[in-house]
Amino acid sequence: MSIFSYNGAAIVAMAGKECVAIGSDLRFGVQLQTITCDTPKVFKVHDKLYLGLSGLQTDAQTLYQKLMFRHNMYKLREERDMKPSTFSNMLSNALYERRFGPYFAAPVVAGLEPDGTPFLSGMDTIGAVETAKDFMITGTSPDSLYGMCESMWRPDMEPDELFETVAQCLMSGSDRDALAGWGAVIHVITKDKVISRTLKTRMD
Amino acid sequence: MAESQYSFSLTTFSPSGKLVQIEYALNAVAAGATSLGISATDGVVIATEKKLPSTLVDETTVQKIMTITPSIGVVYSGMGPDFRVLVRRARKTAQTYFQTYKEHIPVAQLVRETAAVMQEFTQTGGVRPFGVSLMMAGYDDNGPQLYQIDPSGSYFAWKASAIGKNMTNAKAFLEKRYSEEVGIEDAVHTALLTLKEGFEGQLSGSNIEVGVIGPDRTFKVLSEAEVNDYLQEVE
């Protein structure tokens, strides 16, 4: 039993033309038992910045709360929202602070920079950052998710195409994963609005 | 006077509501060499007199204007050693910010943190306030900014101001001369003229120090030759 597959998750984020989309499955389980199917693993930081966290759910939740604390303090001091790239760096720093007793959570940061360019980054559990121009995934079946994204991603997708692509990758990628699935939620972030859609998938 | 009965302990208020040590710290600042700053539309200039105790001092090693980050510089009036301690702290604050966010610290944030340090030393046991007022100049996403930080820890943003020995006359001079549309080149000239007002003797590149930050957002202390060039333009 690995601590990273205790709860189970699947998260996909992709960049399109002046938009980003991030989605996760909805299963919350404890090893082989599924407890609920209404637990998203993607959280909003602000209108242009979303954070996906896979791994041990207790750590993912606590990490999210601590990050919101830091972001709220930043907003009060600096009177502005944090840019996605800045948030990503801060998250990496926060994870490394716990280098020898880490949060068992692997994050994906997705958002739009102030000038409208999409921003995607992913990290391991101790904060090693990787930024990408196409897609970022994390979860209990990374190989499936990578395979789907690699074959389906194209550059400069419009918001609706992007949604379809993320949805297909997430759903097919978590079909063979016993620990992820049971529904999905996908947020498409553009410069004026965020469209969130909940999907019904194979409930197994 | 009755006030002095309350000047032994820093953490004790006097009956009139003052913390006398801070008043005395401000006296130390007012006895220091004049420094000034001017904020222009496209940059900020700070300048100070570099009056040395003797002609035998190697003035090239005396640095009164220091860089905190590539886009923030600072000058002081008052006690040099206290200034160096604050510069060290400010540099560390800026670097810590950069390590966390990989973004350069905004000027207002650095001013706040430095002011907080100075305030700490007015409310802690066994220490005394810093005997300096700082003029911090920087350029960030909110444009060019100039701040003054006092020994009490209070800070103010200025369009133009002076601290130190000749500050009242210098501020009066700046009030007359300052305009909102002034550009950085004119601001340097105005700064030199203001310093000249209260200066005993002839201004030259070796007895004043000038720091400038322009739209390139890089703070630079002007070399002796550059200062002399500006002085010639002003003559």
Side-chain angles (χ1 to χ4, degrees):
Chain A
M1 199 266 311
S2 157
I3 199 160
F4 291 104
S5 50
Y6 188 76
N7 295 125
I11 299 171
V12 174
M14 277 195 186
K17 193 173 165 113
E18 292 175 359
C19 57
V20 280
I22 182 167
S24 80
D25 70 314
L26 293 176
R27 178 182 180 271
F28 172 61
V30 173
Q31 291 187 294
L32 52 87
Q33 189 186 11
T34 303
I35 315 251
T36 74
C37 26
D38 59 6
T39 314
K41 310 201 188 38
V42 183
F43 308 98
K44 178 175 143 170
V45 178
H46 63 73
D47 285 337
K48 303 262 173 71
L49 176 54
Y50 277 68
L51 172 68
L53 287 163
S54 74
L56 194 63
Q57 275 303 293
T58 175
D59 280 3
Q61 286 174 17
T62 305
L63 186 58
Y64 169 66
Q65 287 163 10
K66 285 190 180 258
L67 289 168
M68 282 316 288
F69 176 93
R70 287 179 75 153
H71 182 248
N72 288 336
M73 289 304 290
Y74 183 96
K75 268 180 74 164
L76 286 168
R77 279 198 305 264
E78 306 220 5
E79 294 175 346
R80 57 176 176 145
D81 279 329
M82 233 190 245
K83 294 201 300 244
S85 50
T86 310
F87 185 84
S88 178
N89 290 320
M90 182 198 69
L91 173 49
S92 167
N93 190 279
L95 288 171
Y96 197 83
E97 270 177 357
R98 290 275 167 268
R99 171 66 177 78
F100 300 109
Y103 290 107
F104 295 113
V108 168
V109 177
L112 292 175
E113 292 279 287
D115 61 0
T117 15
F119 179 86
L120 288 176
S121 79
M123 265 160 259
D124 69 3
T125 190
I126 44 176
V129 196
E130 203 212 311
T131 44
K133 293 206 163 23
D134 41 19
F135 53 84
M136 258 301 157
I137 61 107
T138 177
T140 33
S141 53
D143 295 347
S144 290
L145 293 168
Y146 275 131
M148 285 306 303
C149 291
E150 202 68 68
S151 47
M152 298 201 65
W153 185 83
R154 301 182 314 283
D156 291 328
M157 283 186 275
E158 295 293 325
D160 288 334
E161 285 182 85
L162 190 63
F163 162 71
E164 286 300 330
T165 315
V166 173
Q168 288 304 319
C169 288
L170 193 51
M171 285 173 24
S172 305
S174 48
D175 266 351
R176 283 278 176 186
D177 185 357
L179 301 171
W182 285 89
V185 66
I186 298 174
H187 308 279
V188 182
I189 308 156
T190 57
K191 76 170 165 49
D192 330 287
K193 55 186 191 285
V194 176
I195 309 169
S196 304
R197 299 176 179 93
T198 312
L199 310 173
K200 187 154 189 278
T201 65
R202 284 178 65 110
M203 304 303 261
D204 62 358
Chain B
M1 63 183 164
E3 295 279 319
S4 62
Q5 283 183 356
Y6 296 87
S7 56
F8 58 85
S9 169
L10 178 54
T11 53
T12 317
F13 277 103
S14 75
S16 58
K18 289 196 235 177
L19 286 163
V20 226
Q21 276 300 300
I22 296 180
E23 303 291 318
Y24 295 164
L26 287 165
N27 289 346
V29 172
T34 316
S35 304
L36 54 89
I38 303 177
S39 177
T41 53
D42 56 344
V44 193
V45 58
I46 48 178
T48 181
E49 285 179 9
K50 199 156 70 166
K51 278 291 192 59
L52 297 163
S54 146
T55 48
L56 292 173
V57 175
D58 183 355
E59 77 278 356
T60 57
T61 62
V62 176
Q63 225 192 335
K64 289 187 71 178
I65 300 185
M66 302 253 214
T67 318
I68 312 280
T69 75
S71 33
I72 304 176
V74 66
V75 74
Y76 75 101
S77 281
M79 297 167 68
D82 283 10
F83 173 64
R84 285 197 292 277
V85 167
L86 283 169
V87 166
R88 206 184 160 85
R89 293 245 188 168
R91 284 174 173 167
K92 209 166 166 197
T93 305
Q95 280 307 117
T96 310
Y97 187 99
F98 188 76
Q99 189 188 21
T100 310
Y101 299 110
K102 299 273 183 309
E103 219 180 66
H104 289 295
I105 189 168
V107 189
Q109 302 300 311
L110 183 60
V111 167
R112 239 183 24 142
E113 293 289 322
T114 311
V117 168
M118 290 171 86
Q119 193 280 341
E120 250 176 67
F121 281 69
T122 68
Q123 212 176 5
T124 317
V127 298
R128 61 161 176 81
F130 287 96
V132 287
S133 274
L134 303 174
M135 274 274 173
M136 220 176 254
Y139 202 129
D140 60 19
D141 287 339
N142 294 324
Q145 290 153 78
L146 175 68
Y147 285 89
Q148 175 184 338
I149 317 173
D150 276 347
S152 58
S154 37
Y155 56 90
F156 328 87
W158 290 96
K159 299 174 198 168
S161 185
I163 48 177
K165 217 178 296 186
N166 200 35
M167 60 183 245
T168 352
N169 291 335
K171 286 210 312 208
F173 189 86
L174 283 169
E175 257 179 61
K176 275 186 282 180
R177 283 244 163 181
Y178 182 79
S179 98
E180 304 259 327
E181 300 93 40
V182 71
I184 190 72
E185 292 295 313
D186 289 327
V188 179
H189 294 143
T190 310
L192 292 172
L193 285 170
T194 317
L195 274 181
K196 204 165 158 202
E197 280 288 299
F199 199 82
E200 291 152 25
Q202 184 79 297
L203 278 183
S204 88
S206 57
N207 54 26
I208 57 171
E209 227 173 282
V210 182
V212 181
I213 180 161
D216 62 351
R217 301 198 188 187
T218 310
F219 186 81
K220 213 179 108 159
V221 181
L222 298 180
S223 70
E224 201 177 309
E226 287 167 320
V227 175
N228 282 325
D229 285 340
Y230 275 108
L231 281 169
Q232 280 198 329
E233 288 173 23
V234 161
E235 296 298 333

